[in-house]
Amino acid sequence: MTNTNVTRGEEATYRLVPLTEPTLPSRSDSFGRFVADNGTLMADSRGPYSGDDTVTPPLPDDSKVYLANQSTGVTMLPIMSIDCNPEVAFFSWKALGILRDGSIRASTVCRDGGSALFSSNTVMRWGTPKEMPRNVPLASSLETSFATLDINNDGQIMNSAYEEPHFKTIVVKDGHHQQEIHAVNSDQEVYGIDIGDDGTVVGNFIRQEPARFHRFPEPGMTQLPFVAEKGSAIATPLSLPPGTATSNDIESPNILQVSPDGRWIIGSYGPRTVAWDSQRHPVILSDDAHIVPVKILSAHQALVTSAWGPAILDRNIAHPLSVKDLPQGSQLVSVSHVNSSLQIAATIRTGEGRRRAVLLAPSH
């Protein structure tokens, strides 16, 4: 078994791209979610949370979805009221991404009151930033307590959810075709995490006790990595190096990401990080760097978090991000996406404690 022993390299120096600030409801937070190859940042916002979980149904959070570009300024996407299931109410919007054809995707979240453990997600599509959105058929989850949505550049949507009493993963192409990903073993359920541009899906097999029919997924479920190759409906196991410990907590799953061409996969297993090549041979990238993939660009580069903070992984060297022109008192709190020019969609926390979406660019 090969160990490439990722090491810390020189810092990757970044700068804030000056963008027009959107007009948002008072005391809102904003979050950078996606950056297109033309440098357009896609973000969403949240209004202040009341802290009262006893309201039934929960109050909408005044969320917005917007685009920000250095040349064209800010574009607030037109949004509309959403009809949810009778037991739940519309709560918020979340940005998903901008496709190769320029169309836009975001999701709406409907939640029940009280514990707010159950929600349903609806994927919405804008043909242009000025159009009203429309629902993408077949891409919405039913009542669920855990859900993951991901899209690729060609409009395929991966929707993974716990729909009582099972985990389920489907792939939808713009509402015209739906395919469920299945495991070969009937006692394994499929929970997808990421989809590549070629249609490859990666995620975790979830093994539940046969007699378990609880309303909520519980800790103690075995999680093992899988890949469904390039549009296949069959999920096959990915081999793990000996001694690799997997999570048994669905709320803190092992994170896997796949490159756009489907040839490279990275998975995070506590301090250990494992990669699989195009032949799906596992390689230990590191035993102690805590590398978690955020977005893979190619077989050699990825945006990750690590023991050294957010970083650009280039082959076996992690270059921690250093943003030199952050406002006084601000700090980088998360990174969400990277484009082919290594521009990064990110979120900072200001000195006043608010979170703000930002676009980072390499300082050349």
Side-chain angles (χ1 to χ4, degrees):
M1 183 62 59
T2 305
N3 187 332
T4 62
N5 192 27
V6 169
T7 58
R8 175 174 178 159
E10 294 182 353
E11 291 182 341
T13 305
Y14 272 74
R15 61 180 177 85
L16 284 179
V17 177
L19 298 173
T20 303
E21 288 293 317
T23 301
L24 298 173
S26 176
R27 297 173 56 220
S28 290
D29 291 318
S30 61
F31 306 85
R33 303 292 189 186
F34 184 92
V35 55
D37 281 341
N38 68 357
T40 297
L41 174 70
M42 187 176 186
D44 53 51
S45 68
R46 300 282 184 275
Y49 175 55
S50 69
D52 185 359
D53 282 332
T54 64
V55 178
T56 305
L59 299 175
D61 66 356
D62 286 327
S63 59
K64 310 291 181 184
V65 181
Y66 66 91
L67 308 178
N69 183 280
Q70 195 170 14
S71 300
T72 59
V74 169
T75 302
M76 305 300 294
L77 295 181
I79 56 178
M80 59 188 184
S81 61
I82 301 297
D83 292 327
C84 299
N85 295 332
E87 290 112 8
V88 296
F90 171 70
F91 185 67
S92 65
W93 289 84
K94 182 176 180 180
L96 292 176
I98 305 169
L99 273 58
R100 186 180 287 115
D101 64 5
S103 62
I104 302 161
R105 301 292 187 276
S107 66
T108 65
V109 180
C110 295
R111 283 190 357 188
D112 71 352
S115 65
L117 285 172
F118 286 122
S119 65
S120 63
N121 301 300
T122 300
V123 179
M124 307 297 288
R125 177 189 188 276
W126 290 260
T128 71
K130 299 297 185 182
E131 292 180 7
M132 291 300 293
R134 64 175 177 83
N135 178 23
V136 178
L138 305 179
S140 303
S141 63
L142 301 175
E143 186 179 88
T144 177
S145 50
F146 292 93
T148 296
L149 282 169
D150 191 45
I151 64 170
N152 67 15
N153 251 324
D154 290 325
Q156 289 179 300
I157 301 165
M158 184 209 70
N159 193 336
S160 302
Y162 179 76
E163 295 182 352
E164 185 186 350
H166 300 294
F167 291 90
K168 180 180 179 180
T169 296
I170 61 171
V171 175
V172 176
K173 174 65 173 178
D174 268 349
H176 303 305
H177 176 69
Q178 182 187 75
Q179 176 175 272
E180 183 173 355
I181 308 297
H182 296 277
V184 174
N185 296 332
S186 60
D187 62 342
Q188 289 179 325
E189 299 174 13
V190 176
Y191 193 89
I193 295 177
D194 189 38
I195 182 169
D197 286 349
D198 72 336
T200 296
V201 174
V202 294
N204 293 308
F205 286 128
I206 308 294
R207 188 189 299 273
Q208 298 196 74
E209 295 297 330
R212 176 180 290 162
F213 290 101
H214 296 294
R215 189 168 173 79
F216 302 102
E218 295 183 356
M221 295 188 229
T222 303
Q223 298 181 50
L224 295 171
F226 77 80
V227 59
E229 303 281 2
K230 199 174 183 177
S232 172
I234 304 300
T236 58
L238 288 168
S239 299
L240 283 170
T244 303
T246 62
S247 172
N248 64 359
D249 183 356
I250 190 60
E251 294 189 11
S252 302
N254 300 117
I255 301 299
L256 292 95
Q257 294 281 300
V258 61
S259 61
D261 61 6
R263 294 174 59 83
W264 198 38
I265 300 168
I266 301 179
S268 171
Y269 299 90
R272 173 176 285 186
T273 307
V274 179
W276 293 265
D277 61 18
S278 60
Q279 301 302 311
R280 306 316 183 205
H281 298 140
V283 174
I284 299 174
L285 289 183
S286 174
D287 265 326
D288 55 9
H290 292 265
I291 293 170
V292 179
V294 176
K295 178 66 179 178
I296 301 176
L297 285 172
S298 67
H300 302 300
Q301 284 187 318
L303 176 65
V304 301
T305 62
S306 71
W308 309 292
I312 296 294
L313 179 66
D314 192 347
R315 299 181 188 272
N316 64 336
I317 300 176
H319 299 277
L321 303 187
S322 174
V323 186
K324 300 300 185 183
D325 56 351
L326 287 176
Q328 185 174 5
S330 297
Q331 62 182 34
L332 180 66
V333 293
S334 67
V335 293
S336 300
H337 189 260
V338 62
N339 67 12
S340 58
S341 300
L342 296 184
Q343 293 176 311
I344 296 172
T347 302
I348 64 172
R349 180 179 287 108
T350 68
E352 294 76 35
R354 311 306 302 176
R355 285 171 289 184
R356 181 162 68 90
V358 296
L359 177 61
L360 307 179
S363 297
H364 294 305

